[in-house]
Amino acid sequence: MTVENTAARKPRRSSKRVSAAKKPTSSEPQLVQLLTPEGERVANPDYDRHVADLGPEELRGLYRDMVLTRRFDAEATALQRQGELGLWASLLGQEAAQIGSGRALRDDDYVFPTYREHGVAWCRGVDPTNLLGMFRGVNHGGWDPGSNNFHLYTIVIGSQTLHATGYAMGVAKDGADSAVIAYFGDGASSQGDVAESFTFSAVYNAPVVFFCQNNQWAISEPTERQTRVPLYQRAQGYGFPGVRVDGNDVLACLAVTRSALERARRGEGPTLVEAFTYRMGAHTTSDDPTRYRHDDERAAWEAKDPILRLRKYLADQGHADEAFFTGLEAESDTLAKRVREAVRAMPDPDDMAMFEHVYADGHALVDEERAQFAAYQASFSTEPDSGSAAGAEEGK
Amino acid sequence: MAVEKMSLAKALNESLRKALDTDPKVLVMGEDVGKLGGVFRITDGLQKDFGEERVIDTPLAESGIVGTAIGLALRGYRPVVEIQFDGFVFPAYDQIVTQLAKMHARALGKVKLPVVVRIPYGGGIGAVEHHSESPEALFAHVAGLKVVSPSNAADGYWMLQQAIQSDDPVIFFEPKRRYWDKAEVDTESIPDPLHTARVARPGTDITLAAYGPMVKVCLEAAAAAEEEGKSVEVLDLRSMSPIDFDAVQRSVERTGRLVVVHEAPVFYGSGAEIAARITERCFYHLEAPVLRVGGFHAPYPPARLEEEYLPGLDRVLDAVDRSLAY
């Protein structure tokens, strides 16, 4: 059963008709869906054309992206448990939202992520090992944002939606036809910065897509603590369309994001996409979801698993055979091994690194403190040998 | 030589005009900066001449102004944003402190944030609440930001262009009560680097260090002290981050005494930082403890009391006398 969100299409009468036919509730939301939890393809007159180009190979590609991302995520979680990472923010359950939207992007589009967009990073070609540096504590982001058009993870909730909007304003000024996408969560929707980014993007008609992954929980606070209306409806008040998509349906996420990006490229301004999904794991490895939610909730969402439903579809359609699935398992193992080894081999930053890149043009105080600290560190190596091996190590 | 007498407001306007004219990537953004020309008219006529794509009226949302400026800078633009008054910068404080200041370091130098945040600051114009504050220490304390304040038209003209040319974010505090003070501006001579202090008046008995609106008060105090036979040196710091401690040290090594003067509350203020560093650097040259003159640890008072709150000639001269009495 597919129910089209009408906010994007606007005609009021049709909206009433749909409302009468199916009243939205939070447990049974109106959402764009192309692939049911049972793996059945359902038609959608508005969005089918956005995925019409997908043949068996492309479908297998989406499946591969989701499987490898999930495996990477599981490995990172394990590495945190083994003490190799200080923290990890798992994306378990959100693979379809991230891969679907990530694969909708063109190379020249620009992405502003939060700190959980490991699947989007994968789609952008960011080496997954680079995502782990900040969680291991060796840097605050281990990649050059410009080389993949994938900005650094942003930890302060919602800040990046304004950066995305400003960047999109610049894209429009440049006369370019690329688009910008900003990721955030249902918790961030309560932040003033997100509201301000809606205002700015609407006023300046900026080519930006706001991709909200409503994973139902902001740490322990449920979506009901963030909003009294479905999040996609927020867009209406700002004057641009909002769409709710089944966030566990990779085809629907791909189609809806492509549609929104095309709209942005045509100069028609922003779109809010609410990907209705579920965070299957904890908020981060420091969180304990058993304190605030029931197992049966997770069980209900496990039945909607984004990977299983595409697997079923691929198998039913004869698009993938057992050899494909077995091969992918082996590829996952290889990826996990590579990630594990790369993390363990990550060197601690040099002592003096904290003084680097504080300023682009330099700063007298930083120069002074760098010199003082260097002299202090050097003083250990010039001390007379006390015969202690530990002392020698300290002096490195 | 192109020397012209103009107000600080006019000098800042001319400076923005030159920056917009020289570099097509420079943008001016803020509330009311377009048709109105800003509430202080600093951007007067700029939108008419450079268009709405370069001089951008924004929604009334300070975090949005700075946050979108960050995005524009990431796209290769050089936004100069106007915060209407000092007390209104705080909705943008999060974007300035958590994002603007840190993004260059977080990206290991791969991205640059050439954003200038212009803030008319300080008191003395009889304004209502939130229109007269001096929050410079709150910004100078944050690594990644540079903080400057011109005290006169010539510095206003040059320092703003230097700030715009900087690849670092610069918080540019404009002493609003000096907007209408006129001075000669040489629009062709090569100025000092942005973060160097300047001896505004040489002297031999004591050093007064100030910036922004307080430089004029200190110059008046030095003139009054001269009538009593005291030779007061006035140092215009011009930059609060970094601070040109070498210049302060040179002066104090000559005079042996230092009084720091600012409008901001003394407690945890820039005077405390200067006093501590100069005590460390000049311990054997100092004839007296470094003294501070500034605002009180109280909310900025209603306009009818601001003359009591702000350091005036008498409070500065009193500090000079206390220092010389040691």
Side-chain angles (χ1 to χ4, degrees), chain A residues 173-174 193 196 204 359-360, chain B residues 53 57 63-64 75 77 145 168:
Chain A
K173 279 186 194 305
D174 293 345
D193 276 2
E196 293 189 21
Y204 298 113
Y359 293 90
Chain B
E53 286 292 312
D57 274 321
S63 190
R75 181 70 190 181
Y77 287 88
L145 301 177
D168 288 312

Side-chain angles (χ1 to χ4, degrees), chain B residues 114-198:
Chain B
V115 177
V116 176
V117 181
R118 293 181 38 242
I119 308 174
Y121 84 122
I125 64 163
V128 294
E129 197 182 13
H130 310 306
H131 287 67
S132 303
E133 294 166 14
S134 300
E136 62 271 18
L138 298 174
F139 294 90
H141 193 66
V142 179
L145 301 177
K146 290 179 173 176
V147 182
V148 302
S149 177
S151 68
N152 60 75
D155 275 351
Y157 181 80
W158 283 111
M159 286 171 68
L160 183 52
Q161 286 174 71
Q162 291 169 322
I164 293 168
Q165 283 157 14
S166 169
D167 280 335
D168 288 312
V170 179
I171 312 300
F172 195 89
F173 281 105
E174 299 171 3
K176 66 171 84 81
R177 69 160 138 158
R178 305 295 176 221
Y179 272 148
W180 305 281
D181 289 2
K182 288 188 174 178
E184 287 195 337
V185 179
D186 185 340
T187 56
E188 283 175 9
S189 72
I190 298 167
D192 287 338
L194 184 57
H195 302 290
T196 51
R198 172 181 68 94

Side-chain angles (χ1 to χ4, degrees), chain B residues 123-126 177 300-312 315:
Chain B
I125 64 163
R177 69 160 138 158
Y300 194 89
R304 293 301 175 99
L305 282 178
E306 70 177 341
E307 285 307 314
E308 309 305 319
Y309 175 91
L310 292 167
R315 275 172 61 197

Side-chain angles (χ1 to χ4, degrees), chain A residues 245-383:
Chain A
V245 59
D246 184 339
N248 286 18
D249 173 355
V250 71
L251 294 187
C253 288
L254 178 65
V256 166
T257 312
R258 277 179 171 178
S259 168
L261 289 166
E262 282 170 21
R263 187 173 179 280
R265 292 187 214 294
R266 288 195 303 268
E268 293 171 24
T271 303
L272 170 61
V273 177
E274 179 193 359
F276 203 77
T277 183
Y278 189 72
R279 183 239 293 160
M280 304 248 252
H283 164 69
T284 68
T285 46
S286 298
D287 172 35
D288 176 9
T290 63
R291 282 171 171 258
Y292 55 84
R293 69 184 192 192
H294 294 292
D295 288 346
D296 53 355
E297 181 183 295
R298 180 178 158 138
W301 277 93
E302 270 171 1
K304 304 177 195 174
D305 187 290
I307 294 182
L308 290 182
R309 78 171 73 173
L310 184 57
R311 180 178 179 129
K312 197 153 185 312
Y313 179 67
L314 286 174
D316 290 351
Q317 297 293 311
H319 290 333
D321 56 14
E322 211 42 47
F324 168 75
F325 295 114
T326 317
L328 193 50
E329 223 163 282
E331 194 181 356
S332 297
D333 290 342
T334 308
L335 173 69
K337 185 166 180 288
R338 178 167 79 82
V339 165
R340 190 163 59 245
E341 286 169 358
V343 164
R344 288 183 173 152
M346 268 182 201
D348 284 350
D350 184 82
D351 284 351
M352 304 309 288
M354 60 184 144
F355 300 102
E356 299 308 313
H357 310 301
V358 184
Y359 293 90
D361 296 339
H363 188 285
L365 180 63
V366 176
D367 293 345
E368 184 183 321
E369 292 185 350
R370 180 199 288 111
Q372 284 170 352
F373 186 67
Y376 174 74
Q377 294 294 71
S379 72
F380 291 101
S381 57
T382 54
E383 271 178 8

Side-chain angles (χ1 to χ4, degrees), chain A residues 142-153:
Chain A
W143 59 94
D144 175 358
S147 61
N148 301 81
N149 279 7
F150 185 78
H151 194 67
L152 300 173
Y153 279 180

